[in-house]
Amino acid sequence: MHVTRGFKGKRRTDATDRARLPPGQYLTPEFPVLTAGPTIHTPLDRWKLALQNGGSLVATWTWAEFEALPQTDLQTDIHCVTQWSKFDTRWRGVTIDDIFRAADLAVPPTGYLMAHCDGGYTTNLLVSDLIDGRAMIATHYDGLPLLPSHGGPARLLLPHLYFWKSAKWVRRLAFRDKDDPGFWESRGYHLRGDPWREQRYHGDP
Amino acid sequence: MDQTIATIPWLLATAVAIRNETATVKTFTFDVPDWPGHLAGQHVDLRLTAEDGYVAQRSYSIASASGTGSHIDLTIDLVADGEVSEFLHNELRIGDRIELRGPIGGYFTWSPRQDNGLLLLAGGSGIVPLMSILRTRALVKSERLARLLYSSRSADRIIYREGLEALAALPNGVILTHTVTRGAPPGWKGERSRIGRVMLTRREFTPAGHPDVFVCGPAAFVETVAGHLAAMGHPEDKVRTERFGPTGE
């Protein structure tokens, strides 16, 4: 660590907020949009969510079927690898626990999963990061249907990991035998991405 | 996955030149002795540390050409109430040292080894990573077509104005179009409105020839422009985007 001559830091947050900010993050009231390509607009009548194990289909839901699953509200802080964090964001959606339950999956078949999205985006996930109420597929933000630019109609939400893991426009969750890297993970970003351990890039602890 | 891969280390970087680009934009040249080299379009994370250990960290695009030299340029917009940009603009002097690590980012990148022709669209300080692409392209004397459409609020806010003209004047130089959205000065020859479908067609930002497309700027700019490009038939996987703020810094 090198002390920067003359740097005092004028945007310090108070102690309460600081305890909620992972290392290297700063607080923003905005909700920045970061996507590798154009925003995807998927009509609801063409939307389906699929759960796969290897090559075989475990379950699918149409939009109407998905909306009929139990709905959960979640208020949470989110942390982007580009250093902004936003507190107290409000989401509604279906927890991964409820999705597995609806698919009659008492025990997940493997420990790894790849999320596939419209537009070709993928991200790799540990099943342990998705269950026990830690993750959902969100369809509403701040009381309104999720905008396409923020991942609507439906995005993953795993707020305890950097936000690139909360994949926009998710359509397919596929169990895998191992933790193969997804889109950003194969381009220099960390396989898991825990903000509290500052796992931003390959090789970070 | 290879778990033994090295960490991207924090490097000490010394400011060796600071120059004004516009009233609110400066370019900082840093000497980074162990710089591993970068691709055009990549960025760095920059870290400032106060005496009591308080740390502020931000990401900035690299403006200089791809290469393995030890100098990199960062062009940075002064953000209202931004603690890092304000420090760099108002406090940093030549000879001062800061920490940075990189290069970061493996998608919004361009290499002359896969030159399929380029369509570049910039809004405001979104020009920075695209300038790295254009400088790299000039360095290798690319003969493939490249077009840049650069949207600024006004003519005095155009970053790299002379540098871009010099790149346009080279053999096979970039075909440059400026547009200003809040009033043009007398004698203005560029476009005078926000980028729309008609302007994109008129300036030949079409999918013909399967060019690689890079769009960089404020989120709303990228959202609109990338939407037009998709509607014109550019395949999603050929349109790479990078959205800036507004993030309060």
Side-chain angles (χ1 to χ4, degrees), chain A residues 2 4-5 7 9-12 26 28 30 32-37 39 83 183 189 191 198 201 203-204, chain B residues 7 45 49-50 52 54 57-59 81 83 86-87 91 93 96 101 104 107 223 241 243 246-248:
Chain A
H2 170 87
T4 316
R5 185 201 63 75
F7 178 67
K10 51 174 264 189
R11 272 172 56 111
R12 297 173 186 242
Y26 66 93
T28 177
E30 315 282 346
V33 173
L34 297 164
T35 306
T39 290
Q83 281 115 15
F183 181 90
Y189 288 79
L191 271 184
E198 214 173 351
Y201 313 118
D204 284 349
Chain B
T7 306
D45 284 357
T49 306
D52 64 356
Y54 172 80
Q57 202 170 301
R58 299 288 186 276
S59 299
D81 206 35
E83 69 178 344
E86 213 171 273
F87 169 83
E91 277 295 328
R93 295 181 215 142
D96 281 351
R101 69 170 180 158
I104 312 287
Y107 186 68
E223 207 56 34
T241 62
R243 294 158 168 86
T247 61

Side-chain angles (χ1 to χ4, degrees), chain B residues 67-140:
Chain B
T68 52
S70 70
H71 282 196
I72 60 167
D73 284 358
L74 304 180
T75 299
I76 296 171
D77 202 352
L78 179 63
V79 175
D81 206 35
E83 69 178 344
V84 175
S85 65
E86 213 171 273
F87 169 83
L88 295 171
H89 272 251
N90 299 337
E91 277 295 328
L92 190 82
R93 295 181 215 142
I94 287 171
D96 281 351
R97 293 187 297 174
I98 53 101
E99 287 178 295
L100 55 79
R101 69 170 180 158
I104 312 287
Y107 186 68
F108 193 87
T109 60
W110 180 81
S111 161
R113 280 179 297 194
Q114 292 132 33
D115 190 352
N116 304 306
L118 280 167
L119 299 179
L120 309 177
L121 300 108
S125 58
I127 188 66
V128 177
L130 306 186
M131 191 59 170
S132 175
I133 293 176
L134 287 174
R135 286 171 165 156
T136 305
R137 183 183 171 276
L139 211 59
V140 300

